[in-house]
Amino acid sequence: MNRRDLLASAMGMAALAVISVPSAQAVTLADKALNVPAGTDVQPVAIQKKQVEEKYKRRVVRLSTSETPGTIIVDTNNKFLYFVEGKNRATRYGIGVGRDGFGWSGVVKVGRKAEWPTWTPPAEMRRREAAKGRILPAVQMGGEDNPLGARALYLYQGGRDTIFRIHGTNQPWTIGLNMSSGCIRMMNKDVEHLYARADIGTKVIVVGPGNKQGNVSFNDRGIDILRTIFGG
C-alpha cells in the first residue's frame, strides 16, 4: 500500500471514529434515561422537554428593597426568586411555581434543610394522583430521580411545617412554568447555590395569590453589569 492509500485509510478511520461517538452516546442516554449526573441540567434526549429560557438563568441584579440582607423574596407572578445581598444587590433565580389553584402567598421561614431529601407525598396528593391512575410511593428516598432534586429548604410558619418547600427538580424544563402543587422549584445547580447561602431561620416572603405576604417593596432594575463582569 502506497503513502496515498495509507493516508486515505487513516482519514476514513478517523471519520468513522468521529461519527460513531455521538451514536454511542445517544444509545447510552436512551438506555439510562433517569441516570443523570447530580447537580447538572443535562437531561437525556429521550425525556428532555425544552431548554430553560435565558431570562430564568441565575443572575446578579440590582434590586431595590427595604428587606434586610439574607431575606428570600419569591415572586411567583414573574417566576423569580431573589436572595437579598445588600443595598441594590441580589441574586435572582428562575423558578417553577404552583399550577392554577395551587398558588399561595405569605411570610414564612426556613425551618429545616436537607441534601438529597426524602420525598413524602402528602396523603391528599396521593389520593388526587390515584384518582388519575398514578400511584405515588408513600416515601421515596433521595436521589437523581426524586422530585425534590438535590436540595430542599422546608418552609415553616409559627413553628409548624407548611408542607411547602423550595427544592430542586429532576425536570428542569418546568422552570418558568406553573406546574407544581405549591412548592417552589429550582434547577438543581441553583438550589445548591441558594442552599449554601440561606440559613435556618431565613425569612421567606412569597408574593402570590391572595396577597397574604402583606406590604413588601421590591423593584428589579435588571442585571448588575459591573458585578456580572468583575464579580463581587
Side-chain angles (χ1 to χ4, degrees):
M1 183 178 292
N2 58 36
R3 290 181 63 187
R4 180 178 297 177
D5 291 337
L6 284 171
L7 180 60
S9 177
M11 291 177 65
M13 292 178 67
L16 284 174
V18 171
I19 292 172
S20 64
V21 170
S23 299
Q25 289 176 339
V27 171
T28 300
L29 289 175
D31 288 345
K32 299 180 180 181
L34 293 177
N35 192 14
V36 184
T40 177
D41 295 336
V42 177
Q43 291 290 324
V45 173
I47 62 173
Q48 187 174 7
K49 304 299 182 183
K50 70 179 186 66
Q51 296 295 318
V52 176
E53 288 187 51
E54 191 65 27
K55 68 179 180 179
Y56 295 122
K57 302 291 181 66
R58 185 169 77 224
R59 296 286 185 265
V60 288
V61 297
R62 296 172 298 135
L63 186 75
S64 298
T65 181
S66 58
E67 298 300 326
T68 59
T71 301
I72 293 173
I73 301 174
V74 181
D75 181 358
T76 66
N77 298 315
N78 293 299
K79 317 299 190 299
F80 290 128
L81 181 151
Y82 299 92
F83 183 80
V84 180
E85 299 167 340
K87 185 177 181 181
N88 295 321
R89 297 161 63 98
T91 296
R92 184 182 73 194
Y93 309 85
I95 57 174
V97 300
R99 61 186 181 272
D100 188 34
F102 287 84
W104 62 285
S105 60
V107 179
V108 293
K109 290 185 177 181
V110 175
R112 185 164 73 88
K113 298 167 60 176
E115 299 184 9
W116 294 105
T118 298
W119 182 44
T120 306
E124 181 182 350
M125 177 186 290
R126 293 176 61 202
R127 288 193 296 268
R128 186 170 64 245
E129 293 301 315
K132 301 175 184 177
R134 182 186 177 205
I135 305 302
L136 297 181
V139 177
Q140 183 174 345
M141 300 305 294
E144 294 167 356
D145 61 344
N146 189 300
L148 295 185
R151 303 287 187 272
L153 287 74
Y154 296 76
L155 303 180
Y156 281 54
Q157 189 174 59
R160 301 182 63 179
D161 190 348
T162 65
I163 78 168
F164 295 121
R165 290 90 173 86
I166 297 172
H167 63 78
T169 181
N170 57 10
Q171 299 175 316
W173 56 83
T174 62
I175 301 303
L177 303 178
N178 297 73
M179 290 189 66
S180 79
S181 295
C183 289
I184 310 302
R185 298 183 181 189
M186 304 177 70
M187 287 185 282
N188 277 337
K189 64 181 182 182
D190 285 349
V191 78
E192 288 174 351
H193 189 264
L194 178 67
Y195 184 96
R197 308 170 81 195
D199 298 325
I200 291 177
T202 293
K203 179 182 179 181
V204 181
I205 303 171
V206 180
V207 180
N211 294 318
K212 293 183 180 179
Q213 75 280 349
N215 294 323
V216 54
S217 173
F218 66 99
N219 179 29
D220 184 340
R221 300 190 296 128
I223 296 174
D224 189 328
I225 301 298
L226 293 179
R227 288 181 64 204
T228 298
I229 296 175
F230 301 108

